[in-house]
Amino acid sequence: MDHRTQVAIIGAGPAGLLLAHKLRRAGVDCLVIERRDRDYVEGRVRAGVLEQVTVDLLAELGLDQRLRREGLVHGGTRLSADGQSFRIDFAAATGGRTVMVYGQQEVMKDLFDAAPDHDVSIVFNAEDVALSDLDTDRPVVRWRKDDQTHTLRCDYVAGCDGYHGVSRASIPATVLRTFEKVYPFGWLGIIAEAPPVDHELIYANHRRGFALASMRSPTRSRYYVQCPIADRVEDWSDDRFYDELAIRLGDDSRNLVRGPSIEKSIAPLRSFVAEPMRWGRLFLAGDAAHIVPPTGAKGLNLAASDVVILARGLIDACLRDDTVALDHYSDQALRRVWKAERFSWWFTSLTHRFPDTSDLDRRLQIAELDYLRQSAAAQAVLAENYVGLPLEAR
Ligand code: RFL
Ligand code: PHB
């Protein structure tokens, strides 16, 4: 079967669906091609913290009704060193800026639910998606579904298919430069039907390793502990998990309610950037182009800021035949990406135990946390990055 559209979007994760909604709202034709089904994409437990840029984008798309009702505004966070914590006030340090706790699963539900009314078309369960002719002005996307072969001719391709997708892999190795750091530990995370230990997040550096107390709602907790990357979920009963979490949170664990876990998984940590984020008529956005360790809560937010910048370029190109903004996309997006990479790497380095952490390294971490506790200037640097750097003009 033959199809035709202006922008082919590969992947129906946050990057792909945000872009599709934004393009359709401007009157640009697009079609989203997704390898899995809706339940799979929506079911993945991932991000929990939205920056203002992401909240603003959802508002502009008319998708913020439930977010306004159910999202939790956080004006600060706690940092902890060996069980003793202090608060950083984002709002005070940044002139009133805050973040919103609202799960990626909820964002995906809102994006999928609104798709039919907003004229966003998605092909689910597309097998063997392949891109070709990307360096011509008529790129082609092919896939198989229900034993039929589909061919989509388009003007542009948006590669929003995550770290393991086909888009980045379609760029010749001679063109693409990649930068990568794999961290020597993972995050073991659980979700529990129990009120969170505190009303704000707690990032804990303990000599036994990092821990994070987060949440999805006033009755649903999200907790993580740093673990060896070789560990398996079966190694961690709920009791073992909560015992370790309580030690690492120290004083802050006094209100810990040990609800049974309803999800448990281990995620690896990685810093990764691919440059440039464009080849011919293919444009990468989100995890397809970059990965951050989750410590700074930046992954989904970077996907959203890529989309804001890319959508401007695609709208100008498709509706006005003006490619100036599109030609600047990669440079403009990468400037913001590298700053988020820097912050996520720094925050990971400050809060985790590395296998080769010496006594000196440990004392330096504790000194830096103490400096953050005392210095308004240091707090302002953390807060400004955590709530999200502004989207710069070109
Ligand atoms: P996604 O979400 O990976 O979506 C890509 C989609 O593409 C599909 N796909 C294909 N489709 C067609 N053909 C192919 N060949 C395909 N290959 C793949 C996939 O099925 C999928 O549906 O990438 P996207 O859209 O760029 O979104 C990125 C975010 O999902 C990710 O950055 C965040 O989840 C990262 N993250 C966090 N980000 C935050 O901003 N704040 C947080 O608090 C936060 N916490 C986290 C996180 C990620 C975590 N894990 C598990 C990686 C916490 C964790 C534990
Ligand atoms: C989460 O709630 O899943 C979460 C929150 C903050 C992070 C990472 C993950 O930095």
Side-chain angles (χ1 to χ4, degrees):
M1 276 175 72
D2 287 335
H3 314 263
R4 164 91 188 109
T5 192
Q6 287 178 296
V7 181
I9 299 176
I10 315 301
L17 276 199
L18 285 168
L19 182 64
H21 276 276
K22 185 107 172 112
L23 293 180
R24 289 305 300 130
R25 204 170 171 81
V28 174
D29 254 2
C30 60
L31 182 61
V32 184
I33 316 296
E34 165 60 49
R35 187 172 59 167
R36 310 298 293 255
D37 60 22
R38 171 175 170 168
D39 287 349
Y40 172 86
V41 180
E42 207 177 301
R44 296 175 310 170
V45 179
R46 288 181 148 201
V49 178
L50 307 184
E51 295 174 0
Q52 195 61 49
V53 168
T54 310
V55 172
D56 288 348
L57 175 57
L58 290 164
E60 184 200 322
L61 296 173
L63 293 171
D64 64 336
Q65 295 85 350
R66 203 159 67 91
L67 173 88
R68 299 275 168 218
R69 272 199 321 273
E70 298 176 17
L72 307 171
V73 175
H74 279 206
T77 191
R78 300 192 78 79
L79 294 190
S80 152
D82 279 338
Q84 305 229 304
S85 69
F86 59 94
R87 180 169 189 267
I88 292 187
D89 188 328
F90 301 147
T94 62
R97 299 176 63 206
T98 57
V99 294
M100 177 84 86
V101 169
Y102 190 69
Q104 179 165 332
Q105 291 176 289
E106 309 309 321
V107 174
M108 293 312 301
K109 179 172 169 24
D110 296 343
L111 288 165
F112 281 129
D113 281 352
D117 282 350
H118 292 211
D119 219 8
V120 168
S121 306
I122 308 163
V123 176
F124 288 105
N125 299 312
E127 295 168 43
D128 301 331
V129 177
L131 315 182
S132 62
D133 303 294
L134 296 166
D135 55 347
T136 73
D137 57 7
R138 276 284 173 274
V140 178
V141 181
R142 291 192 177 79
W143 68 93
R144 271 192 319 107
K145 184 170 172 169
D146 303 329
D147 289 329
Q148 270 199 324
T149 302
H150 296 260
T151 302
L152 172 63
R153 281 167 222 287
C154 56
D155 299 324
Y156 297 99
V157 179
C160 302
D161 48 353
Y163 182 68
H164 300 287
V166 66
S167 299
R168 193 181 66 252
S170 306
I171 302 180
T174 48
V175 175
L176 201 67
R177 179 144 188 225
T178 59
F179 304 81
E180 183 170 40
K181 178 184 182 74
V182 178
Y183 296 82
F185 40 72
W187 276 21
L188 168 65
I190 69 162
I191 288 202
E193 222 42 87
V197 68
D198 192 35
H199 70 286
E200 289 180 336
L201 272 59
I202 306 167
Y203 288 88
N205 174 327
H206 191 274
R207 68 180 81 81
R208 293 168 65 96
F210 170 81
L212 169 60
S214 180
M215 66 195 71
R216 287 292 175 273
S217 76
T219 57
R220 193 170 266 207
S221 309
R222 175 72 164 148
Y223 296 121
Y224 299 94
V225 294
Q226 174 188 347
C227 70
I229 195 65
D231 276 16
R232 292 162 315 145
V233 168
E234 305 82 68
D235 301 332
W236 287 85
S237 64
D238 284 3
D239 280 344
R240 179 177 174 208
F241 182 91
Y242 279 119
D243 289 347
E244 192 61 39
L245 180 70
I247 294 171
R248 296 187 191 182
L249 292 178
D251 290 353
D252 287 312
S253 69
R254 61 183 99 74
N255 296 325
L256 181 63
V257 180
R258 296 174 173 232
S261 66
I262 52 174
E263 202 269 346
K264 197 182 276 170
S265 54
I266 295 179
L269 272 72
R270 179 191 308 274
S271 297
F272 173 85
V273 181
E275 290 184 352
M277 288 169 63
R278 168 205 193 148
W279 183 60
R281 290 194 169 222
L282 168 67
F283 295 82
L284 303 179
D287 280 13
H290 41 73
I291 299 286
V292 285
T295 323
K298 290 280 164 261
L300 168 60
N301 294 300
L302 272 186
S305 56
D306 285 354
V307 162
V308 172
I309 304 169
L310 179 56
R312 280 184 204 145
L314 288 171
I315 291 166
D316 278 359
C318 292
L319 299 185
R320 291 180 270 283
D321 219 9
D322 170 359
T323 60
V324 174
L326 205 49
D327 289 339
H328 283 94
Y329 166 68
S330 177
D331 287 347
Q332 197 188 345
L334 279 167
R335 279 206 299 277
R336 198 165 190 282
V337 165
W338 276 111
K339 291 184 194 103
E341 291 282 351
R342 184 208 69 81
F343 174 67
S344 305
W345 156 82
W346 168 79
F347 203 21
T348 304
S349 311
L350 175 66
T351 50
H352 288 66
R353 183 191 157 93
F354 288 70
D356 58 354
T357 297
S358 67
D359 290 348
L360 178 110
D361 297 327
R362 173 88 187 122
R363 289 292 169 91
L364 292 174
Q365 283 185 334
I366 299 297
E368 186 160 3
L369 284 163
D370 201 38
Y371 174 56
L372 271 161
R373 185 173 64 79
Q374 292 173 322
S375 161
Q379 292 191 8
V381 172
L382 185 147
E384 168 177 64
N385 282 277
Y386 195 92
V387 302
L389 296 175
L391 271 179
E392 294 166 39
R394 276 209 307 276

